[in-house]
Amino acid sequence: MAVLNKIRQRSLVLILVIAMALFAFVIGDLFKNSDALSGGNQDVIATINGKNINRTDFQQKVKNYQDRSGGRQTSTQAMNAIYNQELRKILLETEFEELGLVVEIDEMRDLLKTSFSSYPEFQDENGQFDVNRLNAFIANLKDLNGETAPLGNFMVNYESWANNEQTIASNAVQQSYYNLIKAGIGTTITEAEDDYFGDAKTVDVRYVQIPYMSIADSLVKVSKSDVKEYIKDNEDEFKVDASRELVYVEFKEEASTADEDKIKVDLLGLKSDRLEYNDSSKNTDTIPGFDNANDIEEFVNYYSDIKYSDAFLREAQLPGVAKDSLMKLKVGDYYGPYKDGEYYKLSKLVEVKQLPDSVKVRHILIPYVGGQRADASVTKTPEEAKKTADSILAEIKTGRKRFIDLLELSSDKVSNEQDGEIEFAYNAGMAPEFKAYAFDNKVGDVDVVGTSFGYHVIEVLEQKSLNKTYKLATIADKIEPSEQTLQDVFNKMSKFEIAAKEADFNELAKERELTVKPITFKELDENIPGLGSQREIVRWAFEEDTDVNDYKNFPISGFGFVVVKLVEKNEEGLMSVEDASITALPEIRKQKKALLIREKITATTVNEIASNQGQSPRTAAALTIKNTTLSGAGVEPKVVGAAFGIAEGGTSKPINGDRGVYVVEVTKINDATTLDNYNAIINRLNNEIRNTVQSKVYKALENAADIEDNRAKTVY
């Protein structure tokens, strides 16, 4: 009984232990996933004015976008593009809903008429748009249950049609919205007058400039408090997004000298026959080398990283690094191994031939359905087109018909106007099969040649500028690091990472002759110069658990490894005093120098001030309020603006300009004649303003929106 009680007691303890472990597991998971505590949602990419962008839908749109781009967009570029697209859609739709802007059924039919009136499917026998045919087409799409139907040159189903209707409606509502805004915008006569006089009214001035550079920087002390005050007064200029500063060193997986030497030895070893034991026959077989290969093309394709080319190469087409040596070879001789880009190559001269640089041919083209540039009138299959071309060739060869008499059968109407003749150089962009026949055969030869356009009956009429050409058999071996080299690079990286625990990162890199590279990026950035898209590094740098001075290695595809160290965390807000000083210091010095210069100005006329300050008075004629360039001083908007507030003959107080302190005397005011009518200016200004409405309105909506952007925490 006592034993039973002990078991029961231990069972109770075991249950408590298990319960505590489960509790710890749940709590731990909650802390791992901060969203569980904060109420965030990993399924929401962003929330804009209370509307969510769903993760699943968003990722599908990103995938579709990348598919359409043919892989030319990185995942980050695609995500940003779709985010901006969704942001714009939600911001505008919110406005449309508040304003009650919608497209009614009758208006939708008018929009569809505008969009599709040229389609024969929706026209009656008189070529007029027939709404009944449109309705019947839409009803038919519904009945097809997802199957497609032809419309013009496209195949559409009901879903794609509905999406297109939605796009048309959305564009119409958007246009109505912007039209409403444009209708409420106009230019007043006063604004037109200001614009006119801004060009027409001018002033002539004399002025003196006391440059800021006349006071040495060393005489002006700028404190941290000065910088802080400047940042406070100019907050918009110093607002920054959150960023991270890293340094990193590279460990490239590059072929060593030993690797390259082995590649060269292996290439040379392919020249001679070799003996190889055959497990099946239990005999030693002789494997032909490059010297005795019966099928050169097969041999090259088996051993080379670049497929065999049967083409004859002109001098300009030979590899630049080996051109002179290759041109001196005799047929059967080798050159190499030689380094050409990322390959070592061994080339054998197979044949030398005199070939033309340009040719003239005539041809008859018989296209087939699906061929390049084949229009709707083409009905022949490839087999039928070939049969027709063969029959034309037979007619020509038997002499029953002349080539030129059969040109009416050709679909190439452009060349038909020139008796079917085409003249082109070897470097011209022609179908490769067409070009090969024209250059590799003799004058007078005629045959059928197939290309992506169809089947051609080609006759070689003329060949010009015969030059020596070379056919090479080249075995190319890509220069890649060996397994041993890859292991050495990994070991080197690992040893550096281990040593960095105890040593200074920069000093350690210097000892090991590694270059430390700095990089600063924001949370949604992806590219690191020289390394390409590296979202993993960016994500690691912004993780809450990553602290300043933490470091980590990252594998880089096709490159090797990097070891990165987090140097500084810069949170969203205003720049630090240190970072802001780069911009703020010169401006603060200008302000302090301006005070010192003003204290030294005691005279009241331009001539006296110039004399007292060791400067020369200058003149500037025909200044306009729109052109802020002051002759002899550069762009000085404050100085030019002040000149238009001074009466003729008057002199200004000291003015703090961009390059110095100025005193200006207005010598003459050239008033402009008032216009009788300002309508032309009003119309021009109206157009200028309305052309900017769309971008400015959208920017205003974006600035006013309540946006919670979770991209960096969800999809990136």
Side-chain angles (χ1 to χ4, degrees):
M1 192 70 179
V3 173
L4 183 60
N5 284 334
K6 285 183 179 180
I7 292 173
R8 286 172 177 167
Q9 290 170 3
R10 290 179 180 176
S11 297
L12 181 60
V13 172
L14 184 62
I15 290 169
L16 288 171
V17 169
I18 293 172
M20 290 298 291
L22 286 171
F23 179 74
F25 175 78
V26 172
I27 291 297
D29 191 55
L30 283 175
F31 278 104
K32 279 183 182 178
N33 185 358
S34 60
D35 285 330
L37 294 175
S38 65
N41 189 345
Q42 286 288 312
D43 287 332
V44 176
I45 299 298
T47 302
I48 301 156
N49 290 338
K51 293 185 178 180
N52 293 334
I53 298 178
N54 178 268
R55 177 191 178 102
T56 303
D57 292 342
F58 181 83
Q59 289 182 320
Q60 184 59 49
K61 289 177 180 177
V62 169
K63 181 181 181 302
N64 294 341
Y65 182 87
Q66 281 190 290
D67 291 344
R68 291 195 303 272
S69 73
R72 291 185 297 274
Q73 299 282 322
T74 67
S75 58
T76 303
Q77 289 171 329
M79 288 174 187
N80 289 339
I82 295 301
Y83 172 79
N84 291 332
Q85 177 181 303
E86 293 298 297
L87 173 64
R88 186 180 190 87
K89 178 182 175 184
I90 292 173
L91 290 178
L92 291 175
E93 284 181 350
T94 302
E95 281 292 288
F96 301 159
E97 289 170 7
E98 291 181 1
L99 294 172
L101 289 176
V102 295
V103 173
E104 302 292 347
I105 294 177
D106 291 343
E107 185 182 358
M108 190 68 226
R109 284 291 184 264
D110 290 338
L111 291 171
L112 291 175
K113 177 181 178 181
T114 301
S115 299
F116 296 104
S117 60
S118 63
Y119 282 69
E121 290 88 344
F122 306 136
Q123 294 176 351
D124 60 21
E125 56 276 4
N126 298 317
Q128 300 299 311
F129 179 77
D130 187 344
V131 69
N132 294 321
R133 296 196 179 197
L134 173 67
N135 293 335
F137 180 81
I138 297 172
N140 180 55
L141 286 180
K142 287 182 180 179
D143 294 340
L144 288 175
N145 295 320
E147 295 295 321
T148 58
L151 178 61
N153 295 324
F154 306 97
M155 298 296 293
V156 298
N157 57 21
Y158 184 71
E159 182 182 1
S160 62
W161 175 269
N163 289 338
N164 191 45
E165 276 195 4
Q166 187 176 5
T167 300
I168 293 172
S170 176
N171 290 339
V173 171
Q174 193 174 135
Q175 191 59 51
S176 297
Y177 173 71
Y178 287 124
N179 286 343
L180 285 171
I181 295 173
K182 290 176 183 179
I185 294 175
T187 303
T188 65
I189 292 179
T190 300
E191 289 170 328
E193 288 176 343
D194 288 343
D195 182 82
Y196 165 69
F197 285 110
D199 282 321
K201 182 179 179 180
T202 65
V203 297
D204 300 340
V205 301
R206 294 178 72 251
Y207 70 93
V208 59
Q209 176 204 49
I210 302 94
Y212 295 129
M213 66 176 62
S214 64
I215 298 177
D217 288 351
S218 59
L219 298 177
V220 179
K221 304 300 180 185
V222 180
S223 65
K224 279 192 174 182
S225 60
D226 290 330
V227 178
K228 287 180 181 178
E229 188 66 27
Y230 187 84
I231 294 171
K232 183 180 177 182
D233 293 340
N234 300 273
E235 284 192 358
D236 288 344
E237 186 179 344
F238 295 100
K239 283 181 180 177
V240 291
D241 295 324
S243 66
R244 297 292 183 266
E245 294 181 31
L246 296 180
V247 291
Y248 67 95
V249 291
E250 303 172 346
F251 297 87
K252 294 184 179 180
E253 294 178 331
E254 296 177 321
S256 65
T257 302
D259 293 336
E260 293 195 19
D261 289 342
K262 186 176 184 306
I263 292 171
K264 290 186 279 186
V265 169
D266 289 345
L267 281 173
L268 289 172
L270 292 173
K271 292 170 65 177
S272 303
D273 298 348
R274 71 179 190 277
L275 299 177
E276 187 175 284
Y277 181 73
N278 190 319
D279 288 328
S280 300
S281 66
K282 308 300 182 185
N283 294 321
T284 300
D285 297 336
T286 299
I287 308 300
F290 210 174
D291 288 336
N292 301 311
N294 294 322
D295 189 329
I296 290 289
E297 181 174 357
E298 182 182 20
F299 186 88
V300 169
N301 288 343
Y302 184 80
Y303 289 105
S304 178
D305 290 329
I306 299 176
K307 295 298 182 184
Y308 176 78
S309 172
D310 195 45
F312 284 90
L313 304 178
R314 272 74 179 162
E315 179 182 342
Q317 296 172 299
L318 295 172
V321 295
K323 179 171 64 176
D324 292 340
S325 299
L326 291 170
M327 291 171 62
K328 295 174 183 177
L329 293 178
K330 296 178 181 178
V331 173
D333 285 352
Y334 294 95
Y335 179 68
Y338 59 93
K339 193 173 185 178
D340 186 14
E342 58 183 3
Y343 295 92
Y344 269 107
K345 296 179 177 179
L346 178 64
S347 295
K348 181 179 183 179
L349 184 60
V350 176
E351 188 179 351
V352 177
K353 191 175 184 179
Q354 294 286 335
L355 288 178
D357 284 341
S358 66
V359 297
K360 182 192 287 186
V361 301
R362 67 160 57 100
H363 83 131
I364 294 170
L365 172 60
I366 308 299
Y368 52 76
V369 175
Q372 194 171 344
R373 297 183 189 171
D375 58 32
S377 64
V378 176
T379 59
K380 284 183 170 64
T381 64
E383 294 77 14
E384 290 170 339
K386 174 71 163 59
K387 186 176 180 180
T388 300
D390 287 340
S391 65
I392 292 172
L393 177 63
E395 288 289 314
I396 294 170
K397 283 191 171 182
T398 58
R400 287 192 293 268
K401 292 279 189 177
R402 292 189 309 153
F403 198 114
I404 200 167
D405 295 331
L406 297 168
L407 285 175
E408 62 184 21
L409 301 175
S410 177
S411 70
D412 187 352
K413 305 305 179 187
V414 175
S415 68
N416 284 356
E417 294 178 2
Q418 306 295 326
D419 292 336
E421 294 179 5
I422 305 174
E423 188 169 359
F424 56 95
Y426 187 80
N427 59 2
M430 303 292 288
E433 303 89 349
F434 193 104
K435 180 189 291 186
Y437 185 83
F439 281 92
D440 295 348
N441 290 279
K442 300 187 296 294
V443 172
D445 285 353
V446 58
D447 207 343
V448 172
V449 176
T451 72
S452 60
F453 295 91
Y455 284 92
H456 309 253
V457 181
I458 303 175
E459 180 183 5
V460 181
L461 299 176
E462 187 179 353
Q463 295 177 330
K464 298 178 182 178
S465 302
L466 292 176
N467 285 299
K468 194 175 182 180
T469 62
Y470 310 84
K471 183 184 289 187
L472 297 172
T474 298
I475 298 175
D477 199 344
K478 191 169 184 180
I479 303 170
E480 294 179 320
S482 64
E483 288 298 323
Q484 182 59 52
T485 298
L486 294 176
Q487 187 61 49
D488 291 343
V489 172
F490 180 79
N491 291 339
K492 185 179 179 183
M493 179 275 297
S494 299
K495 289 177 181 178
F496 179 90
E497 189 176 18
I498 292 169
K501 291 180 181 179
E502 307 296 336
D504 178 86
F505 192 93
N506 287 21
E507 288 299 320
L508 183 64
K510 186 176 181 181
E511 288 174 12
R512 304 193 178 194
E513 298 181 344
L514 297 169
T515 302
V516 177
K517 298 183 179 182
I519 180 70
T520 301
F521 46 73
K522 299 176 184 177
E523 195 170 12
L524 293 179
D525 289 345
E526 65 168 336
N527 285 314
I528 293 180
L531 301 178
S533 177
Q534 299 299 331
R535 275 299 304 171
E536 285 299 319
I537 296 176
V538 176
R539 190 181 295 113
W540 170 80
F542 277 91
E543 286 176 355
E544 291 183 7
D545 294 340
T546 304
D547 296 321
V548 171
N549 294 324
D550 283 357
Y551 58 90
K552 186 179 179 181
N553 82 75
F554 290 89
I556 309 296
S557 178
F559 179 88
F561 299 90
V562 292
V563 177
V564 303
K565 177 185 176 182
L566 181 59
V567 176
E568 188 173 347
K569 288 184 175 183
N570 301 307
E571 302 306 332
E572 182 180 8
L574 294 176
M575 282 185 191
S576 66
V577 170
E578 291 74 17
D579 291 340
S581 292
I582 298 172
T583 304
L585 276 175
E587 297 303 318
I588 297 171
R589 285 197 184 103
K590 283 183 185 180
Q591 293 175 0
K592 289 178 175 285
K593 288 180 180 183
L595 289 173
L596 295 175
I597 291 170
R598 281 169 171 268
E599 289 174 359
K600 294 192 298 179
I601 297 175
T602 55
T604 56
T605 68
V606 168
N607 286 341
E608 290 174 345
I609 294 170
S611 176
N612 293 344
Q613 301 300 320
Q615 303 295 326
S616 299
R618 303 176 188 175
T619 61
L623 297 180
T624 70
I625 197 69
K626 284 187 178 182
N627 183 355
T628 58
T629 299
L630 184 63
S631 177
V635 178
E636 289 288 4
K638 291 180 182 178
V639 180
V640 173
F644 278 86
I646 302 170
E648 187 172 309
T651 302
S652 73
K653 299 289 186 183
I655 305 163
N656 294 353
D658 189 60
R659 292 174 174 79
V661 175
Y662 298 78
V663 174
V664 178
E665 176 192 348
V666 175
T667 57
K668 186 178 181 183
I669 295 176
N670 306 297
D671 282 317
T673 304
T674 303
L675 297 180
D676 295 331
N677 189 308
Y678 290 91
N679 286 341
I681 297 175
I682 290 173
N683 290 335
R684 174 175 59 80
L685 293 177
N686 281 341
N687 288 333
E688 289 175 2
I689 296 169
R690 289 166 184 170
N691 286 339
T692 64
V693 161
Q694 195 159 324
S695 60
K696 287 186 176 180
V697 167
Y698 177 73
K699 192 64 181 176
L701 292 176
E702 187 177 6
N703 290 338
D706 181 12
I707 300 173
E708 182 183 340
D709 185 355
N710 302 317
R711 281 177 291 169
K713 300 177 181 64
T714 52
V715 295
Y716 284 3

